[in-house]
Amino acid sequence: MLMASETSERQELAKLCSCRDWSKAIRILNSLLSQSCAIQDICNRAFCYSKLELHKHVVKDCDKALQLDPTLLQAYILKGRALSALGKKEDALLVWEQGYGYAVHQSADLKLFLELEELLKQNRKVVCENHAMESLESSISVSEPALHVDEKLNSAHKNHSKLNDDSELCSELSDTSENRSEAFDTSDGHDELRDTVNGNKKLNSESNGAYTSNGDDELRDTGNGNKKLNSESNGTYTSDGHDELRDTVNGNEKLNSESNGTYDTFNKSSDESELCSELSDTSEQSSKSSVIHSKPSDISEVLWKSSNKYDIHSELGYGANRNKKFCVTRISKTKSISVDFRLSRGIAQVNEGNYSTAISIFDQILKEEPTYPEALVGRGTAYAFQRELRSAIADFTKAIESNSSACEAWKRRGQARAALGESVEAIADLTKALEFEPNSADILHERGIVNFKFKDFNAAVEDLSACLQLDKENKSAYTYLGLALSSIGEYRKAEEAHMNSIELDQNFLEGWAHLTQFYQDLANATKALECIERVLEIDVGFAKAYHLRGLLRHGMGEHKKAIMDLSIGLGIENSNIECLYLRASCYHAIGEYGEAIKDYDKALKLELDSMEKFVLQCLAFYQKELALYAASKINSEFSSFDIDNDINPLFKEYWCKRFHPQHVSENVFRQPSLKRSRPRKLDFSVTKQKTALLQAADSIGRKIQYNCPGFLPNRRQHRMAGLAAIEIAQKVSKAWRSLQVERNRNTSKHGKKARRKEKINTPSQNRGGACCSTSSSSETSNSYTITEDRSSCRSMMSWHDLYSLAVKWRQISEPCDPVVWVNKLSEEFNSGFGSHTPLILGQAKVVRYFPNYQRALDVAKIVIKEKKYVHNKADDIMDLSEDGKIQEIMHAESCFDLYRIVGEDFWLATWCNSTAFEGKQLEGTRITLLKMGEHGFDFAIRTPCTPSRWEDFDREMAVAWENHQALCNAYSGEAYGSTNFDMLEKVREAILRMTYYWYNFMPLSRGTAVVGFVVLLGLFLAANMKFIGSIPKDLQVDWEAILNFDPNSFMDSVKSWLYPSLKVTTTWKEYPDVASTFSTTGSVVAALSSYDD
């Protein structure tokens, strides 16, 4: 029965070959090969593929045949010709030489031997004349190896037309005398055909007369930036790893086709005869063949989206742009030539962006053949480009139901599902596609990018590495491998992968852009700028480059230069919300409030297509209100700039959390428009005093810089820190002098020092807001104050007053950062709103904070060992004292180990030993471990500022600030104004102790680290000690405090590098007074922005 079935199939195969219906012949051969893997059937299928110009499938089948029989000359000939057709002339020559080497050492088919010899002679000459860029006119004249049919099949069909070795059958597009050897122009780098008859330019689609010159018929940057996706599969459309649908450098991607009705652009040898079946006499002319004109990208169409994370990762999915092209292999059931031609027309319409027309063509085909998988895939792709992803998925699903082995349908459905965010389903579809082509570099590449998009970085590394094992010239795989490796902290390997991508193509814009982002993430500004310069050399109209450079300059505090770059980018792509929002924030920072509000308004009106962009739109609402507030204060004293007390608590809470602003807009008083309170233009007049003060501030402020990956040097922040530190020194010194005067007056009056007492106050619950009464900052939190008498109390600053000075400078320096006191938020303060600083997020190692990972893990184990319990998500205690869990935990080496032992999400709290209250332990930070996805974790520190915790730290900070032995006694008594380093030891320790509690307190929504170090610098300066060194490499002072249980341990760790760099000096007293030199909010903003003039 099986033999009868096989005989029947071989008879059908002979008929189909006689009719030149190569698509159906391939189906029969597929069936035969599924029953038994005969070498000749593999070669026969390769021959059929060659007739359809599915050159990559020819190569694949020939490779399979040669694995089984390395001496098979027919396979060498077919493979070499396919490679030559793909433009890989040198590779073709190597294949033919290898085959010839076998032929001369053993008996072989003389005809094939002579053909190989002729191929070698002609191609060696061609390769020498033109190294890898052979034009169509110099193509090799060869004869095709015959399709060998089983002897039984031949005898059973003697009356059928024989397949002549020297004859070729092809379908002709018209009966007019067309020159089939059209000139192929490669001079401009565009894979195009030029019609030598009428001069019309035709884009390479390898469909009905198109040809690929370079063999890379995959998604690839060509000379004009357009990209092509090619397909070479029976019932599916695949390529070698680059036919994904996603935003790339300029978003212009094309799916290419190699289909029935195309021709191999070889000049046939004179002794060959070709029998051509015409489609029609006049109506179906060659001008209707599926060739598409490829227009150079207009500068206004250069698009490339980035994520809100400043991650410039390309969007994966359909519809990001309308200029993508595709094709499928046609396998019709009836009237195959006619249907195939219509399919090609549909493909051409998709490639030209005429998606509705394409869908109409596919609809007609599907009326005749409702389950025709290639038409379903074609229509599904057109739907996908129209962002009708559900319709696209429905068509891909029907194609799969019609042909469950349609690999391309599985892949395309996976892409569409990825575009919808259906990560699990997308990966499942791509995995299914890999079952049919397990060694497909294309699908591995595709799945790797989907894995990357959905943050499964380890899986992405695995897939992309496997892809590159199969296709070492896949530049896209290299650059995405670099992105994935960077995400998991493998920075050296990531840089190597990025470099490999651009070594393959020096003009690979996407690769250069990703390398730029890589260096920027590591805070290597010099290399990042070099990469951007290279991008603009390649394409001066590449909008993303200007966004990247604007982003980098913003991060470096060069806001005016950033505005210039962002304006150029918006001139190219005026609806880019990332550029709009960033430019608005730059205008906002430098006091150009009118321009800032214009950009915020534009951002609010944009139609968006992603959640990340929507978040920016929400932030634009809040920032516009804050810009209006700042504008209203521009001519007022800087002391009146008070976000914490003037802005509604609910507004600040929603701003910090990036919530939708609808509730805020309905319930919070809005700022007046600029028309009613137009600020005058900022005018920074240079004076000797200002210049001296700014030079000193720049020198001092640079000391805040962390020399760690991820921390860009920011000139604006440095200046802010310097001015804030000097002002703190000046005001603290003034307060101490006032206190000394008061103490002397009291001593003189009473004959002895006034008795000191402590006063405990209840923290005020009035947290301020627009249109409501507010209390002063000192009234809200100074639970402990020095109250020798009322007059001395008035002259003494509270710790809150002290730190508020630095907070205000931090707020004005970068107004788009939500820096606010947590206790001034709404009722969220009562529920413990606080900071969240991740070290690991999913599988990503956060570049700034991951260096502290091992210490944080060790601290977590110490806490568990000490307390023998943790808290679950519901805050219930989980006892870990039994079953040997503590011992297991002490041997845990990773988050995975720790989570496995505990068994669920949990948190634990570190502690800080109190100085003010002996034996008391304050709640430090919370180390949390939460499961994220199947293989990821959120390992972070979270610091909830509950009212009870706030009160504890408030008292501790007050006592630290008061500290009788250090600050008050030293500066109100004999050590005031001392320049003796040893005498100032207690002062230094008191400053460090207060800094320790500040860092563990974390009372700000963000900015705690820089504010803490600015105050430290100011206090040292007030004590005549100037820090002239720098923070050691890879050390973060705030983490030193957070990961130490005792202030003395923190002080010991800091003294080793801090004390040798403290210089005793009083030169700071010569600096002009900051508060009077820059008295208004406008003058402060101008001072922070002046260095960029």
Side-chain angles (χ1 to χ4, degrees), residues 27 147 153 295 584 624 632 636 733 805 813 821 831 874 938 1060:
R27 285 184 175 177
L147 171 67
L153 193 62
K295 299 178 181 179
K624 176 186 174 182
S632 71
S636 303
S733 178
L805 287 171
S813 67
W821 290 92
S831 62
D938 178 352

Side-chain angles (χ1 to χ4, degrees), residues 516-542:
T516 300
Q517 186 65 60
F518 169 77
Y519 286 131
Q520 184 170 340
D521 288 344
L522 293 180
N524 190 332
T526 302
K527 286 191 175 181
L529 286 170
E530 288 174 358
C531 289
I532 293 172
E533 291 299 326
R534 176 57 180 153
V535 169
L536 293 175
E537 286 176 8
I538 298 169
D539 183 1
V540 72
F542 184 41

Side-chain angles (χ1 to χ4, degrees), residues 915-1072:
T915 300
F917 306 96
E918 187 176 351
K920 182 178 176 63
Q921 288 186 338
L922 308 178
E923 180 184 337
T925 192
R926 291 183 180 181
I927 299 177
T928 61
L929 182 57
L930 311 177
K931 194 82 164 64
M932 284 187 66
E934 188 177 349
H935 304 294
F937 297 96
D938 178 352
F939 184 60
I941 58 170
R942 299 171 187 258
T943 309
C945 285
T946 58
S948 60
R949 185 179 182 277
W950 187 281
E951 184 176 352
D952 285 344
F953 271 96
D954 184 17
R955 294 183 179 187
E956 195 72 44
M957 291 292 293
V959 171
W961 175 234
E962 179 188 0
N963 198 295
H964 299 279
Q965 291 75 24
L967 300 180
C968 293
N969 285 345
Y971 278 86
S972 298
E974 66 280 359
Y976 175 73
S978 173
T979 56
N980 185 302
F981 191 79
D982 293 332
M983 288 183 64
L984 294 171
E985 172 61 20
K986 289 184 178 180
V987 176
R988 288 192 294 271
E989 289 186 352
I991 293 170
L992 290 177
R993 184 174 292 106
M994 188 166 65
T995 302
Y996 168 80
Y997 288 119
W998 167 263
Y999 283 139
N1000 279 281
F1001 190 3
M1002 283 196 186
L1004 305 178
S1005 56
R1006 65 176 298 174
T1008 297
V1010 67
V1011 166
F1013 204 76
V1014 166
V1015 172
L1016 177 145
L1017 290 176
L1019 291 177
F1020 275 125
L1021 204 59
N1024 298 329
M1025 291 178 285
K1026 183 179 180 180
F1027 179 52
I1028 60 173
S1030 58
I1031 300 171
K1033 190 176 187 303
D1034 297 328
L1035 186 142
Q1036 297 176 33
V1037 184
D1038 52 326
W1039 283 86
E1040 285 296 309
I1042 291 166
L1043 298 178
N1044 270 295
F1045 300 109
D1046 188 83
N1048 294 318
S1049 299
F1050 165 72
M1051 289 190 288
D1052 289 341
S1053 67
V1054 171
K1055 285 179 181 179
S1056 60
W1057 57 267
L1058 179 65
Y1059 281 17
S1061 297
L1062 287 176
K1063 178 183 178 182
V1064 175
T1065 177
T1066 58
T1067 56
W1068 69 273
K1069 295 180 180 180
E1070 300 172 4
Y1071 300 153

Side-chain angles (χ1 to χ4, degrees), residues 8-77:
S8 174
E9 286 183 322
R10 292 198 180 278
Q11 290 174 350
E12 180 67 16
L13 175 63
K15 290 180 182 179
L16 293 171
C17 291
S18 297
C19 297
R20 281 56 179 170
D21 194 342
W22 310 113
S23 296
K24 288 186 177 179
I26 290 170
R27 285 184 175 177
I28 298 297
L29 287 164
N30 285 341
S31 176
L32 292 170
L33 285 167
S34 67
Q35 300 169 34
S36 63
C37 189
I39 297 178
Q40 192 57 61
D41 283 336
I42 296 174
C43 286
N44 287 344
R45 188 172 66 179
F47 175 81
C48 292
Y49 278 135
S50 72
K51 302 304 293 180
L52 296 177
E53 295 195 3
L54 303 182
H55 304 304
K56 289 190 175 179
H57 283 279
V58 175
V59 173
K60 289 179 182 178
D61 274 352
C62 290
D63 285 339
K64 291 178 184 177
L66 291 171
Q67 285 179 357
L68 298 172
D69 183 1
T71 66
L72 199 62
L73 296 191
Q74 182 190 16
Y76 286 111
I77 293 172

Side-chain angles (χ1 to χ4, degrees), residues 229-255:
L229 274 79
N230 198 0
S231 76
E232 300 182 352
S233 65
N234 186 24
T236 61
Y237 48 111
T238 62
S239 72
D240 65 350
H242 306 276
D243 59 342
E244 65 276 3
L245 297 169
R246 68 175 179 280
D247 257 346
T248 52
V249 177
N250 63 359
N252 294 332
E253 295 183 359
K254 304 163 190 171
L255 282 80

